[in-house]
């Protein structure tokens, strides 16, 4: 089967590239000079890979909409979403996420509130995890913050500020810990040298498993 795709011409691009999006749509990034029939032939040769990636994206997409009564996995634990318009405080509980919303709130409203609850909870969770590992690694971050990054999981700045992506709340605890340790290790080594990875491995001997998990599942860590 031939996949449908859009060709996007890029002035600075030197080689052809394929992007399969979360919704399964396909984009081809092409340098200006490559003729269209060559682009089509190149994509045709990649059709097995495209089908495989589309299947992967299907598996990663949420099967049931996030509404009151649905279960959302947060920090590796399934939690029941409960909407209640009379609620005083929205909160992430051990087994339940309480949202101040009408019981029949639509998915869009639920995701918006969920995101607020998760960002607040991420501040507490990653603040505590970072303090724990910073002591262990004898490093001193100047602050731990939460960001809404599209394409990265964390960052470490020269002035010692560390930021974590709130979407890591949708991953198992060990995966978030790996990102925390990775960013803290940059306070010692501002690169990805063997000394850097040596430090990460000292703190988390199984970090490669969590790194691989993130590569495989990271694109699925979205609410909608
Ligand atoms: Zn890094």
């Amino acid at each position: 089967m031939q996949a449908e795709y859009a060709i996007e011409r890029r002035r600075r691009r030197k080689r052809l590239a394929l992007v399969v999006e979360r919704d399964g749509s396909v984009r081809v990034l092409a340098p200006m000079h490559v003729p269209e029939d060559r682009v089509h032939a190149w994509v045709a040769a990649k059709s097995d890979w495209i089908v495989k990636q589309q299947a992967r994206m299907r598996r990663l997409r949420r099967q049931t909409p996030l509404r009151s009564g649905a279960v959302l996995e947060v920090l590796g634990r399934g939690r029941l979403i409960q909407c209640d318009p009379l609620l005083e405080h929205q909160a992430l509980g051990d087994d339940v996420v309480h949202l101040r919303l009408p019981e029949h709130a639509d998915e869009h409203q639920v995701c918006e509130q969920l995101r607020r609850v998760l960002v607040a909870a991420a501040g507490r969770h990653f603040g505590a995890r970072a303090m724990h590992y910073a002591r262990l690694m004898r490093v001193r971050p100047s602050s731990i913050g939460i960001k809404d990054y599209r394409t990265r999981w964390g960052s470490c700045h020269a002035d010692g500020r560390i930021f974590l992506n709130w979407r890591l709340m949708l991953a198992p605890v060990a995966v978030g810990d790996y990102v925390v340790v990775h960013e803290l290790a940059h306070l010692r080594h501002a690169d990805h040298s063997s000394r850097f990875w040596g430090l990460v491995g000292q703190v988390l001997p199984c970090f490669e498993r969590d790194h691989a998990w993130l590569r495989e599942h990271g694109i699925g860590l979205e609410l909608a």
Side-chain angles (χ1 to χ4, degrees):
M1 187 196 80
Q2 186 68 49
E4 271 185 38
Y5 52 90
I7 300 176
E8 296 173 23
R9 296 287 179 178
R10 291 281 193 272
R11 216 166 283 280
R12 288 212 195 92
R13 187 153 261 291
K14 298 226 161 50
R15 297 170 53 210
L16 288 159
L18 262 175
V19 182
V20 178
E21 300 289 358
R22 264 165 57 81
D23 64 4
S25 63
V26 180
R27 296 191 300 142
V28 181
L29 309 181
M32 305 300 281
H33 66 268
V34 179
E36 202 154 307
D37 54 344
R38 254 194 62 204
V39 176
H40 293 313
W42 183 81
V43 174
K46 304 263 180 199
S47 61
D48 284 356
W49 182 85
I50 293 174
V51 169
K52 241 185 245 162
Q53 288 301 310
Q54 286 176 325
R56 177 169 163 248
M57 294 306 167
R58 253 196 312 278
R59 280 198 305 277
L60 289 172
R61 271 205 301 277
R62 203 172 293 291
Q63 302 303 316
T64 48
L66 288 176
R67 308 278 297 262
S68 196
V71 172
L72 176 68
E73 212 163 287
V74 181
L75 296 173
R77 204 179 152 101
R79 320 208 190 201
L80 185 69
I81 298 170
Q82 267 184 0
C83 294
D84 178 348
L86 303 175
L87 208 66
E88 275 201 36
H89 300 289
Q90 307 203 108
L92 173 69
D94 287 342
D95 304 298
V96 183
V97 192
H98 294 285
L99 302 179
R100 192 192 304 117
L101 282 173
E103 207 180 310
H104 298 291
D106 64 26
E107 195 182 9
H108 178 75
Q109 291 172 299
V110 168
C111 286
E112 209 176 279
Q113 292 308 314
L114 265 177
R115 188 186 154 105
R116 284 192 192 177
V117 168
L118 291 179
V119 168
R124 291 189 297 273
H125 175 76
F126 289 115
R129 300 312 279 172
M131 281 304 118
H132 165 76
Y133 284 110
R135 265 197 299 276
L136 214 67
M137 297 164 73
R138 296 171 195 274
V139 292
R140 273 177 190 274
S142 56
S143 70
I144 307 295
I146 302 302
K147 286 248 175 165
D148 181 44
Y149 289 129
R150 280 268 139 220
T151 54
R152 59 193 305 175
W153 299 112
S155 65
C156 174
H157 299 259
D159 59 7
R161 286 176 307 147
I162 282 176
F163 293 101
L164 285 315
N165 190 328
W166 67 270
R167 292 177 181 79
L168 288 167
M169 291 296 281
L170 302 171
V173 173
V175 172
D177 279 4
Y178 157 66
V179 179
V180 168
V181 169
H182 180 122
E183 299 308 336
L184 288 172
H186 278 316
L187 293 173
R188 284 276 185 79
H189 307 289
D191 51 24
H192 292 118
S193 61
S194 55
R195 287 191 314 169
F196 167 84
W197 291 115
L199 175 58
V200 174
Q202 240 173 29
V203 184
L204 300 173
C206 298
F207 79 90
E208 277 171 28
R209 176 201 58 195
D210 302 313
H211 190 180
W213 190 96
L214 210 46
R215 267 201 308 267
E216 174 69 21
H217 299 92
I219 199 163
L221 301 183
E222 290 284 352
L223 291 175

